[in-house]
Amino acid sequence: FSRKKFIEGGLPADKIFVKPNFVHPDPRTQTGDRDCALFVGRLSPEKRVITVLEAWKRGHLSVPLLVIGGGPDQHPLEMQAGKAGLGNIRFRGQVSREESLAAIQKACFLVFSSEWYENFPVTIAEAFACCTPVIASNIGAMKEIVDDGRTGLHFAMGNPDDLAQKVEWAWTHPDEMHAMGMEA
């Protein structure tokens, strides 16, 4: 996706190479129950955590959600979740990389709701390294990196109803999500 954008912008195709991100050291996966959905990232407008909160609210989701990250939207998002009665959403704030990876290893799936053209998000690479499938916006590089139905699921960018449906399906189909995690 990014390479195509650079070529559309006029850069010569033969001068552009794609070097994917990687995770080092390999965190591997942990055995045991995967007990929540997870968002990891900067809490800012372009990451669209508001879409995630709306999905939980509109879909009346009982799925526990852990939100890891800090940023300018952290307090407003916490307030909105509280006002909406979303007691199954817990905000952890910014944590160490080790704590973030441990949370990814325990998550049933990672939600990646960005409406920003991402290049190759390290968070997705970390999730895949931990055998955790990703539910991602269906735009840009996320659409290419997350293979819908194989390593995770796509939802219509900015559409909380579609996201709620994908989350509900993922939560109620643990065997299929485990298989997607192994593919990731």
Side-chain angles (χ1 to χ4, degrees):
F1 172 79
S2 297
R3 184 175 189 279
K4 289 176 190 171
K5 283 291 184 193
F6 286 126
I7 293 168
E8 285 174 14
L11 295 174
D14 63 336
K15 299 285 184 180
I16 301 171
F17 300 91
V18 176
K19 181 184 173 206
N21 279 334
F22 59 91
V23 179
H24 182 76
D26 186 351
R28 307 272 181 215
T29 189
Q30 288 185 338
T31 57
D33 291 337
R34 293 184 174 242
D35 58 4
C36 69
L38 178 66
F39 174 91
V40 176
R42 181 168 162 73
L43 303 182
S44 56
E46 69 278 1
K47 298 298 186 175
R48 297 304 292 172
V49 182
I50 192 74
T51 302
V52 178
L53 296 185
E54 273 299 309
W56 256 252
K57 180 180 167 185
R58 289 186 192 185
H60 306 287
L61 297 175
S62 60
V63 178
L65 171 66
L66 176 60
V67 178
I68 293 179
D73 283 358
Q74 182 175 349
H75 183 68
L77 289 167
E78 289 173 347
M79 296 291 290
Q80 183 170 351
K83 286 180 185 173
L86 299 172
N88 57 338
I89 298 179
R90 191 168 52 114
F91 288 82
R92 249 331 260 286
Q94 193 166 350
V95 301
S96 69
R97 182 171 187 266
E98 291 76 23
E99 290 173 289
S100 177
L101 285 171
I104 293 170
Q105 290 169 329
K106 289 188 54 113
C108 181
F109 51 86
L110 177 87
V111 177
F112 200 90
S113 53
S114 184
E115 291 185 11
W116 192 260
Y117 284 151
E118 305 277 350
N119 286 311
F120 196 115
V122 172
T123 306
I124 292 177
E126 289 172 338
F128 285 178
C130 294
C131 297
T132 302
V134 177
I135 300 177
S137 302
N138 63 346
I139 62 165
M142 290 92 66
K143 187 175 181 177
E144 289 182 350
I145 297 167
V146 177
D147 188 357
D148 190 46
R150 187 172 145 274
T151 61
L153 301 170
H154 294 161
F155 73 95
M157 177 192 71
N159 185 330
D161 297 317
D162 190 34
L163 176 56
Q165 289 174 359
K166 299 298 169 57
V167 167
E168 183 65 33
W169 186 91
W171 189 250
T172 58
H173 291 82
D175 292 339
E176 289 87 341
M177 294 307 288
H178 175 75
M180 287 183 203
M182 296 308 292
E183 284 291 316

